[in-house]
Amino acid sequence: MLRQQDVGHRIVVRRIVGIREGRTLFSDALGELVELSETHITLSTDAGPLRVPVAEVHRAKRVPPARRPTAAAVVALELAADEAWPAPVRGRLGDWRLRWADGWTGRANSALPVGDPDRPLPAALDAVQRWYAERGGPALVNTPLPLAAPVGAELDARGWTSRPPVLVQTVPLRTLTAPPATAAPATDVPPVTLADAPADDWLAIAAGRKGGLPDAARQVLTGTPRVRFAELREDGRLLAVGRGTVTGEGRWLGVSLLETVPQARRRGLAVAVVRALAGWGAGEGATHAFLQVEQSNTGAVALYRGLGFTTHHTYLTRVAPAT
């Protein structure tokens, strides 16, 4: 049976799906184990997230990995993402990054445990908790999997919980900038403009999505040297937005805060925003795009799959127990 050490690894699960004529029926699922609890197993599969009740599991085991990115590739992408979402208050534990933005978003208020913390793991996690306690916030740790699986195992032993799994997805920019291969582009999609700074109504949409916009949030949004704020307007009204950054020594276009107002959805506006940001990123010399999306957000995952994004790796945001 599976153990916490298997989180972040490829597994196969044989589950019980019913009984027919007195015989038990089984179904197999293959994917990356992203969460293991007393009641459920959660996998990231090619078809999307799959949550299997433990009571339905007949057999589960780790299997050899498919081609996956190297540890160095995961570290490089995580550091590019860190540059793209820069917390205004930062600290270091050896190679580990400590980030604080007055509590605005988990990414900007969590430790990133990549590299050597320059001390034993238990001491490093004790130091993380002290650093966040000094700032009056909960201690959070983002654990890229399977790279940070040893960190995750130590956090499990300490009783830390997990937020929903997040997929870090990538695509070559040439895929996003190529003309669509099938249907002609929609004629009712207004043009996308790219601004150096966010307009007030752009910020209002971001605030609605993220539950407010403190001063620290504005520093996160605008603190990357190469950044653009996409706007798609119709008759002066803002219908869709997105944010693009170029980081990681110029290789990576980061796409974030992609949003379409409810009354304008299903018109292809989000796709237009992504393609506009991709064109800008390619002009800046970037070769690949990345984004981060909760695995449970099936609508967004489907949209990104249609654009060619695939999962590079996953991460869990771990939360310290209340004291």
Side-chain angles (χ1 to χ4, degrees):
M1 202 56 184
L2 300 172
R3 301 170 297 169
Q4 288 296 335
Q5 294 92 317
D6 297 314
V7 173
H9 293 272
R10 194 164 178 247
I11 66 167
V12 62
V13 175
R14 172 157 289 190
R15 63 186 299 193
I16 301 168
V17 294
I19 297 176
R20 180 183 299 164
E21 298 177 354
R23 297 180 60 185
T24 304
L25 303 178
F26 300 100
S27 176
D28 292 339
L30 180 68
E32 181 179 308
L33 178 63
V34 294
E35 190 173 19
L36 177 63
S37 72
E38 294 182 359
T39 59
H40 286 81
I41 293 173
T42 304
L43 297 84
S44 174
T45 74
D46 289 342
L50 177 64
R51 195 164 184 255
V52 182
V54 169
E56 296 179 4
V57 176
H58 174 67
R59 186 180 301 142
K61 64 178 182 179
R62 192 191 297 191
V63 296
R67 284 190 62 185
R68 63 166 67 245
T70 64
V74 173
V75 170
L77 182 48
E78 284 292 327
L79 294 181
D82 178 55
E83 291 179 54
W85 202 255
V89 179
R90 305 177 70 84
R92 294 288 288 267
L93 283 178
D95 296 326
W96 287 17
R97 269 71 172 170
L98 306 176
R99 307 172 292 191
W100 178 247
D102 291 338
W104 191 74
T105 75
R107 279 178 287 171
N109 292 273
S110 57
L112 179 61
V114 296
D116 183 359
D118 200 26
R119 66 204 71 194
L121 179 55
L125 293 175
D126 290 342
V128 167
Q129 290 195 262
R130 288 194 299 270
W131 195 86
Y132 284 98
E134 290 168 0
R135 284 149 186 82
L140 305 178
V141 176
N142 273 9
T143 55
L145 297 173
L147 181 69
V151 176
E154 176 67 21
L155 296 177
D156 289 333
R158 293 174 176 232
W160 289 48
T161 56
S162 298
R163 290 182 178 173
V166 174
L167 308 179
V168 182
Q169 299 198 312
T170 64
V171 67
L173 273 188
R174 63 177 180 272
T175 300
L176 294 180
T177 56
T182 53
T187 57
D188 65 338
V189 176
V192 177
T193 59
L194 302 179
D196 295 339
D200 289 343
D201 50 359
W202 195 106
L203 291 171
I205 290 177
R209 177 172 175 176
K210 294 294 186 181
L213 212 66
D215 289 342
R218 294 171 184 260
Q219 295 180 58
V220 172
L221 293 175
T222 61
T224 305
R226 288 195 280 178
V227 61
R228 289 294 184 273
F229 299 88
E231 305 175 348
L232 193 154
R233 297 178 182 274
E234 187 173 66
D235 298 327
R237 189 164 62 94
L238 188 60
L239 299 184
V241 300
R243 175 178 175 269
T245 56
V246 172
T247 59
E249 299 181 344
R251 179 188 181 194
W252 290 102
L253 167 73
V255 177
S256 60
L257 291 175
L258 185 65
E259 186 78 12
T260 303
V261 299
Q263 58 270 35
R265 289 174 182 165
R266 302 189 182 280
R267 290 177 52 187
L269 307 190
V271 171
V273 168
V274 172
R275 293 193 184 279
L277 290 171
W280 168 75
E284 291 288 308
T287 58
H288 290 72
F290 78 90
L291 53 81
Q292 297 163 315
V293 57
E294 283 194 6
Q295 186 182 45
S296 58
N297 189 349
T298 55
V301 171
L303 169 67
Y304 302 142
R305 184 186 301 119
L307 286 167
F309 281 89
T310 59
T311 298
H312 186 272
H313 64 277
T314 63
Y315 74 77
L316 294 175
T317 298
R318 306 300 302 271
V319 184
T323 56

